[in-house]
Amino acid sequence: MNRPDEETDHHPTTGLDDAVHQRTRLGLLAVLHETRQADFGYLKKLLKLTDGNLGRHLEVLAQQDLVRVTKGYQGKRPRTWVEITDGGRAALSAEMSALRELLRRFENSGGSEG
């Protein structure tokens, strides 16, 4: 029996990072990769999150140095801005590479047939 992973001796899912792969955090990193920086309200609305949920996911990403959270004011209104870090870009890139490889293997095994 042929093993589909003979060349690498590991499965693409081993390259998925739990901190990045979670749906909301993957969404946050993807949006921030596109925009470079976004404010809390924009992310909350775009990803349909509550304040608490978004705050917790940003906390996880910030603890891993994948995003930088800056609090300040715009006029008299308090604002929170989020920016993806170089580490966040690298982690997102690695995640996308693992997903591409997983998709390639899925399609090559006939998994894309209806």
Side-chain angles (χ1 to χ4, degrees), residues 16-73:
L16 299 176
D17 179 340
D18 289 339
V20 175
H21 189 71
Q22 194 280 341
R23 180 180 61 93
T24 298
R25 293 191 290 267
L26 182 58
L28 285 165
L29 289 173
V31 169
L32 292 170
H33 185 266
E34 294 169 7
T35 63
R36 306 256 184 244
Q37 183 182 55
D39 75 351
F40 191 93
Y42 174 78
L43 294 169
K44 177 183 162 183
K45 182 178 179 183
L46 183 65
L47 297 173
K48 300 181 189 308
L49 301 169
T50 64
D51 287 353
N53 195 269
L54 176 55
R56 178 65 187 126
H57 286 292
L58 289 175
E59 188 178 301
V60 169
L61 292 172
Q63 287 172 350
Q64 300 285 322
D65 293 322
L66 303 178
V67 300
R68 184 175 305 106
V69 178
T70 306
K71 296 182 183 247
Y73 288 87

Side-chain angles (χ1 to χ4, degrees), residues 102-114:
L102 189 62
L103 180 60
R104 183 191 69 77
R105 288 175 62 161
F106 175 79
E107 288 173 340
N108 287 342
S109 70
S112 62
E113 296 173 8

